[in-house]
Amino acid sequence: MAASREEITAEVASGRFWLAQALDAVRDPILIIDISDASFSILFANAVARKRVGHLDSPIVGAPVGDFLELSSIESFANSVRLLSSSNTSHVQKISWRLAELGGDFATEFKLLLEPQFGAAVMLTLPSLRQSPGHSAEVSQAGQALTRATEWLKLSMRAAQMYAWRWDRGTDSFEFVLPDNLVRYLPPDFRSMDGFLTRVHADDAERVSCAVRLALEQGVEIMEEFRFRLDDDAYRWYVVVGRPLLAENGAVCGLVGATQDVTSRRSAQARVREYGDMLSTATAQTADVLLLLDAQLNIRFCNRSIGGFNPQQLVGMSASNALSGSDWDVQSQLLRSVLQGAPCVSFGHESLNEDGQLHRYESRAVPVCDNGLVTGLSVTVADITERMRLEREILGISTREQERIGQDLHDGLGQELTGIALMLRSLANRVHRDFSAATGDVDEIVALVNHTIESTRSLARGLSPLNPGRGGLVHALRALAVRSGELYGLNVHFRSKVWPQLTLDEARSNHLYRIAQEALTNVARHAQATRAEVRLQVSDGKYTLSIADDGVGLSQSFKSSNGLGLKLMAYRAGTIGAKLEIVANEPKGTMVQICGEQPPVM
C-alpha cells in the first residue's frame, strides 16, 4: 500500500536534513537559489555562508540574492541562470559579491538542481577566502554525500509511488520525473493541461479545474485528491500538491509539484466503511453497546448511544467519554494491559444512558488482532441497571420472607412449644406425686421440649438477626459467633471497635451479617479450621468487617467450594458499595475482608 501523505512529508524532510548536513560539511560558502521566483530568493545557506554574514541584521535565507550582489553583476547572474536552465550543465561564472565574506570578485560555480525538495533551484558554490590543500578532495566528498542523499530521496519517492512534474504555461506542456515502476501508468496523450483535465473523473473535474485556475490567477498552492483515468479506462486515486512558478515580471508562468498514487489507501477506506455499515446493521438491534477501540483507546466504532453521546459523536473520541470518567485512570490501565498481551478484563462503571439517567454498566474488553498482533480492543458494555434492580428486589423479598418466617417461629411455634412445656411441667409434678416411677421419663420429655424451644428461638434469631432493640449489627455478629461455635464445633471469637458509632441502615447491616454468616459456613465446610475470628472496626466514617480462620488456606478451601457462596458474598458487597477481598491469613488460613464507607454521624 502506498505511504501516507504524512510519511512522505517526513521522508522528504529527512532527505532535506541529510542534504543540509552534507552541504554544511563543506568549507566553501554554498547558496541554493529559487529560480522559479523572479526575485531569486535564497532557499538555503550552508554553515560557512551563514557564519560569514552573521553580523548582518537580517537573515540570509529568504532574502533576494540581489541584496548581496554588486549592481554590475545582477544581469550577469540572470544570464548564467538562463544559460544553466537551457543547457542543464554546470559552469563557472565570475560574479562580484558585495561582501568580501562571500567571496569578493572570484569565480562562482553554478549547478542546476532538479530535486523535488528544492523545486527549480540553482546551487552556487562560492570560492573560499583561503584555499586549503585538501579543498578539492573536500568538495568531492561533499558532492558524493549530496549524490547519496539525492539517491536516498529518489528511492523513498519510488517506494511511496510518488513522482515530480512541471507544467510550462507558455508551451502548455508537462515534464515528469517518474520512478521506473510508474512509467506504465503515464498515458502518452495528456501532455497539455486540457489533455490532463479530460482524464480527471467527471465528479472531480470541476474541483480540480477550479484549483488550477486559482493557482494561475492568484498564485496559490494546489492540494487536491481526485480520480484519474488510465489507458485501460480504469481510474486510480491520486493526491497532487503543486505550487506556481513565477516569471521575472512576477506573473505565473507554470506549475511544479509532486503526485502520489493513493488508490490502495482509498480502497482500504472504502472497505472499512463497508465493514462499518455491515457491523452497524448487525449490531443495531443488540441490547449491549459495542465499542471498537484503537491502540490509543480512541473509539473507531460504536453501535448505540452512551455517556450522553450518540454513535456518530463518539467516533474519534477517547473511550473515557463512553465509560466512567471518574474511574478512567483505573479502567485505562486495565484496557492497556489487554493491548500488551494480558487476557480479557471486566469492570463495572456508571454512565449516562440514552434517557439521560445514570445507569450501571458492566464492560468486558477482548483484544482485536491483525496478523497475530494486537491492534485494538473490542469492548462490550452491558447495561445491568435493571438486572441489579431485580436482584436487589429478589434479595429484599428473600430478606422479608426470612424475617416473616423468623417472626412466625418466635410468635407462633415458639409460644406453642412454651405452652406445651408449661403443661408438661404441671404433668411432671402430678406424675412425681402419684407415679414416682415415671418421673425420670417425664423430666426427659420436658428437657427435650425446652431444648426445642431454644432451637426454635435460635432459628428465629438467625432468620431475623438484626434488632435495634437488641444492639443491632454488633449484637447480631456476637450472637452469630456464639451460635456458629456451638453449631460447627469451632472456637469462634468476636471483637469489635466502634467509634464514634455505627450509622449503617438495617439493609446494609443485614448484607454484612449475611456475608459473615456465609464466610463462617465456608470455614466450617471447607477450611478444616479449628479457630475463627470475626472482627468489626468502625472509625472516621469507614468500616471494616473481617472473618479469619486458621484452616488450610486459599487454594484448598476454594478448590473444595462450589463458588456460589463466594459469588453471593461479592454481590452483597457490591450492592452496598463495599469492597470485598479474600486474602491469605497469617500465619495460615484465609481472611475475608469487607471495607466500605458509612453515612456521617448526624
Side-chain angles (χ1 to χ4, degrees):
M1 186 173 68
S4 65
R5 188 180 306 175
E6 292 77 9
E7 291 172 335
I8 298 308
T9 303
E11 289 175 348
V12 172
S14 178
R16 192 164 188 169
F17 168 79
W18 290 112
L19 186 60
Q21 293 292 309
L23 296 180
D24 278 342
V26 180
R27 282 184 282 180
D28 290 327
I30 292 181
L31 304 178
I32 295 181
I33 312 300
D34 184 3
I35 61 174
S36 66
D37 185 353
S39 64
F40 294 150
S41 59
I42 299 174
L43 294 174
F44 171 83
N46 72 343
V48 175
R50 295 194 301 272
K51 182 178 180 181
R52 292 190 180 182
V53 298
H55 61 282
L56 300 180
D57 293 334
S58 58
I60 186 172
V61 175
V65 70
D67 292 353
F68 303 94
L69 295 173
E70 295 289 354
L71 291 178
S72 60
S73 293
I74 293 179
E75 182 62 27
S76 176
F77 181 88
N79 290 334
S80 296
V81 169
R82 283 193 289 270
L83 175 63
L84 187 62
S85 299
S86 61
S87 63
N88 193 18
T89 58
S90 60
H91 65 275
V92 176
Q93 175 70 34
K94 184 177 180 180
I95 299 294
S96 297
W97 298 90
R98 290 183 180 180
L99 299 176
E101 292 90 344
L102 290 177
D105 289 332
F106 295 98
T108 298
E109 180 184 2
F110 287 69
K111 181 178 180 180
L112 184 65
L113 292 181
L114 297 176
E115 309 309 326
Q117 69 266 40
F118 288 117
V122 168
M123 183 175 73
L124 306 180
T125 303
L126 283 62
S128 298
L129 294 180
R130 289 183 298 217
Q131 298 289 342
S132 63
H135 170 71
S136 298
E138 181 181 319
V139 172
S140 175
Q141 292 174 359
Q144 293 174 5
L146 177 60
T147 300
R148 286 195 298 271
T150 301
E151 290 301 320
W152 182 89
L153 184 59
K154 288 180 178 179
L155 287 173
S156 299
M157 291 185 66
R158 183 178 298 113
Q161 292 188 318
M162 290 185 66
Y163 62 87
W165 54 268
R166 181 169 56 185
W167 174 70
D168 186 274
R169 189 175 190 178
T171 61
D172 190 17
S173 61
F174 279 94
E175 295 180 38
F176 297 93
V177 178
L178 284 169
D180 296 338
N181 62 332
L182 289 181
V183 171
R184 64 181 184 278
Y185 291 141
L186 179 61
D189 60 343
F190 77 97
R191 298 301 181 182
S192 66
M193 180 61 73
D194 289 340
F196 165 78
L197 293 175
T198 57
R199 287 181 171 267
V200 177
H201 194 280
D203 294 341
D204 306 324
E206 183 177 355
R207 174 168 47 85
V208 176
S209 298
C210 181
V212 172
R213 185 169 59 254
L214 287 176
L216 296 178
E217 294 176 356
Q218 302 179 17
V220 298
E221 291 190 353
I222 298 173
M223 183 176 292
E224 293 292 338
E225 190 166 326
F226 55 88
R227 286 158 289 185
F228 188 81
R229 179 169 52 84
L230 304 179
D231 285 343
D232 58 0
D233 290 332
Y235 283 92
R236 297 184 69 85
W237 280 94
Y238 291 92
V239 170
V240 169
V241 178
R243 54 172 294 187
L245 294 172
L246 302 180
E248 294 183 5
N249 59 3
V252 178
C253 63
L255 300 172
V256 64
T259 299
Q260 181 188 8
D261 187 332
V262 294
T263 306
S264 297
R265 173 170 62 80
R266 293 293 298 228
S267 299
Q269 291 173 344
R271 288 194 298 272
V272 169
R273 287 193 296 269
E274 180 182 352
Y275 296 152
D277 293 341
M278 294 173 58
L279 189 59
S280 298
T281 302
T283 60
Q285 303 304 318
T286 60
D288 295 343
V289 177
L290 175 62
L291 301 175
L292 296 182
L293 311 182
D294 59 21
Q296 287 72 44
L297 302 184
N298 294 321
I299 299 172
R300 293 307 176 197
F301 172 81
C302 179
N303 66 324
R304 299 179 66 86
S305 298
I306 189 174
F309 300 97
N310 61 44
Q312 290 74 26
Q313 292 172 324
L314 284 169
V315 173
M317 288 185 174
S318 168
S320 61
N321 294 281
L323 305 177
S324 176
S326 60
D327 299 330
W328 177 242
D329 289 342
V330 175
Q331 294 169 0
S332 61
Q333 289 179 3
L334 291 173
L335 295 174
R336 289 193 175 92
S337 69
V338 180
L339 288 172
Q340 295 169 2
C344 59
V345 296
S346 299
F347 52 87
H349 57 94
E350 293 181 342
S351 185
L352 295 176
N353 199 0
E354 297 174 344
D355 55 10
Q357 301 297 317
L358 192 64
H359 283 229
R360 182 72 180 176
Y361 294 92
E362 187 175 68
S363 297
R364 184 172 185 269
V366 298
V368 175
C369 298
D370 183 11
N371 293 326
L373 298 176
V374 178
T375 58
L377 299 174
S378 173
V379 182
T380 304
V381 185
D383 189 339
I384 60 174
T385 307
E386 181 64 14
R387 189 189 78 188
M388 292 185 65
R389 186 191 69 79
L390 292 175
E391 290 172 344
R392 286 194 299 269
E393 184 64 24
I394 291 172
L395 277 179
I397 293 173
S398 175
T399 300
R400 291 192 294 272
E401 188 64 16
Q402 288 177 345
E403 291 175 351
R404 184 190 66 78
I405 295 174
Q407 194 68 30
D408 288 345
L409 286 173
H410 183 273
D411 297 339
L413 181 60
Q415 297 299 325
E416 293 174 359
L417 289 173
T418 301
I420 293 173
L422 291 173
M423 292 173 64
L424 284 173
R425 176 53 57 192
S426 176
L427 178 61
N429 291 333
R430 292 170 56 189
V431 168
H432 181 69
R433 184 178 64 248
D434 299 334
F435 304 99
S436 57
T439 298
D441 294 335
V442 174
D443 288 342
E444 185 177 354
I445 293 173
V446 172
L448 288 173
V449 172
N450 287 333
H451 180 73
T452 303
I453 292 172
E454 288 301 320
S455 298
T456 302
R457 290 174 178 172
S458 178
L459 181 60
R461 287 193 295 269
L463 291 171
S464 181
L466 299 178
N467 188 330
R470 295 199 301 264
L473 179 61
V474 174
H475 176 81
L477 290 174
R478 181 178 290 110
L480 175 64
V482 173
R483 190 164 58 254
S484 297
E486 295 174 349
L487 183 62
Y488 303 127
L490 294 173
N491 185 10
V492 183
H493 295 275
F494 172 73
R495 302 179 187 276
S496 65
K497 184 178 181 180
V498 179
W499 187 90
Q501 68 184 69
L502 186 65
T503 60
L504 293 176
D505 56 25
E506 185 175 351
R508 294 187 180 185
S509 297
N510 185 68
H511 281 299
L512 289 176
Y513 177 87
R514 297 301 179 189
I515 292 173
Q517 187 180 44
E518 181 64 35
L520 287 173
T521 301
N522 285 339
V523 170
R525 291 179 178 176
H526 309 296
Q528 302 175 28
T530 59
R531 187 178 183 278
E533 181 179 79
V534 180
R535 182 187 295 269
L536 176 65
Q537 184 170 347
V538 179
S539 63
D540 298 330
K542 298 181 180 180
Y543 64 84
T544 301
L545 174 64
S546 62
I547 303 92
D549 65 70
D550 62 351
V552 295
L554 283 171
S555 59
Q556 292 298 322
S557 60
F558 279 134
K559 187 174 181 180
S560 58
S561 174
N562 60 14
L564 180 59
L566 301 178
K567 293 177 181 177
L568 285 174
M569 287 193 295
Y571 177 78
R572 287 185 181 276
T575 300
I576 61 177
K579 180 180 179 182
L580 182 139
E581 291 182 314
I582 303 176
V583 297
N585 188 32
E586 296 296 338
K588 67 174 182 175
T590 305
M591 176 184 290
V592 177
Q593 184 170 274
I594 308 96
C595 301
E597 298 183 357
Q598 66 170 357
V601 178
M602 301 302 292

